[in-house]
Amino acid sequence: MSTPNILLTRIDNRLIHGQVGVTWTNSLGANLVVVANDEAANDLVQQSLMDMVMSDGVQTRYFTLQKTIDVIYKAAERQKIFIVCKTPHDVLELVKGNVPINFVNIGNMHFSEGKRQIHKTVAVDKDDIEAFIELKKRGIPCEIRRVPDESGEDITNLLNDRSEYVY
């Protein structure tokens, strides 16, 4: 069984939108975007909307977290995979399921009730923080970077710098 060619794993609560479907996909040279999200895997309307913003020649798959874990090692070598998840918990589930993720890009984690803003595009709650800390313990860097030509910022620096945000 060969290791799947995962170019990048991104957390973005919007999943696929213009930035992901065009900018990131083209920058990475990805030819397959795997949306690993239980809700999106079962929402055909959301899938067709996301497919509309994809670059030509790039395939999409909408899998539950468990299906992603079950099929990732069946990927062909020619598949250059870009995984998109909604939350850090989703990424952690994939990692626990032995999906070979070695780096996480964080795009958007919108503010909502119970979350605190730690960056222009990232708001976290206690569970998010715990998931990021667990990913770091597993040796997986998590970097906030909205677009490819922007410099990234290690999220753990933001979690550490803002002790008032740690519960």
Side-chain angles (χ1 to χ4, degrees):
M1 205 166 16
S2 63
T3 302
N5 186 4
I6 298 171
L7 304 174
L8 186 66
T9 301
R10 178 176 171 95
I11 296 169
D12 196 315
N13 62 343
R14 297 176 294 175
L15 298 172
I16 296 175
H17 51 92
Q19 258 176 17
V20 169
V22 178
T23 312
W24 277 101
T25 304
N26 291 347
S27 169
L28 293 167
N31 59 19
L32 174 63
V33 176
V34 173
V35 172
N37 178 264
D38 293 348
E39 293 84 40
N42 297 304
D43 185 340
L44 297 176
V45 173
Q46 187 181 11
Q47 290 176 25
S48 64
L49 290 171
M50 288 191 270
D51 283 345
M52 286 162 51
V53 299
M54 290 304 303
S55 287
D56 289 343
V58 179
Q59 295 187 314
T60 51
R61 298 286 184 280
Y62 299 94
F63 292 155
T64 62
L65 295 173
Q66 189 57 54
K67 181 160 185 183
T68 305
I69 290 164
D70 294 344
V71 303
I72 196 72
Y73 282 96
K74 295 178 181 153
E77 282 180 41
R78 68 180 183 282
Q79 292 177 307
K80 297 180 180 120
I81 305 167
F82 178 20
I83 296 176
V84 182
C85 293
K86 201 167 217 169
T87 69
H89 320 281
D90 288 354
V91 174
L92 186 57
E93 282 304 305
L94 295 179
V95 169
K96 287 178 177 176
N98 215 21
V99 174
I101 293 170
N102 53 25
F103 181 83
V104 177
N105 161 259
I106 305 154
N108 295 285
M109 290 177 60
H110 288 156
F111 181 82
S112 61
E113 187 79 31
K115 293 194 180 240
R116 295 176 190 228
Q117 201 80 32
I118 61 166
H119 184 271
K120 280 185 291 223
T121 58
V122 178
V124 295
D125 62 18
K126 185 174 186 281
D127 292 340
D128 295 330
I129 292 169
E130 286 169 4
F132 283 124
I133 289 169
E134 180 62 28
L135 287 165
K136 180 164 177 103
K137 281 182 188 163
R138 291 170 180 257
I140 302 168
C142 297
E143 177 187 86
I144 299 172
R145 185 192 298 192
R146 291 172 301 172
V147 291
D149 59 3
E150 183 177 81
S151 60
E153 185 165 6
D154 184 332
I155 193 165
T156 51
N157 294 342
L158 295 174
L159 300 177
N160 296 339
D161 291 348
R162 294 183 166 62
S163 55
E164 74 271 20
Y165 292 106
V166 179
Y167 296 74

